[in-house]
Amino acid sequence: VQNDLANKQVTGSAGAGMVTATLNGKGELLDLVIEQALVQPENAQMLQDLVVAAVNDGLVKAKELGKAEMTRLTGGLNI
């Protein structure tokens, strides 16, 4: 299961897609994309907040993916 999860990807986003974070099913950050318009000194705090939000969104999706895989493997049994 862990190897399968490592090969699957989920993408979290924030700021209407201005920041996206791609993680694997194990919750490891693989890629972070920031729209160029956000990369300005006056946007630093907002950019930090959006990065955190995008990564957290991706982590939630990675956990959901892991849970779905376990449910699939156990046939829905609550183990």
Side-chain angles (χ1 to χ4, degrees):
V1 172
Q2 292 296 321
N3 287 337
D4 288 340
L5 289 174
N7 292 323
K8 295 187 178 186
Q9 295 183 2
V10 295
T11 300
S13 65
M18 294 178 76
V19 176
T20 59
T22 302
L23 298 90
N24 65 17
K26 293 172 62 176
E28 298 169 330
L29 183 63
L30 303 174
D31 191 33
L32 182 67
V33 177
I34 300 168
E35 199 167 292
Q36 185 65 35
L38 289 176
V39 185
Q40 298 177 20
E42 63 271 12
N43 292 335
Q45 184 61 51
M46 180 178 60
L47 178 57
Q48 292 168 356
D49 293 343
L50 290 173
V51 167
V52 169
V55 171
N56 285 336
D57 185 44
L59 285 170
V60 167
K61 290 177 180 177
K63 287 179 185 177
E64 289 171 353
L65 177 64
K67 187 176 179 179
E69 285 296 308
M70 287 304 293
T71 299
R72 184 183 62 81
L73 288 174
T74 62
L77 296 176
N78 216 359
I79 298 177

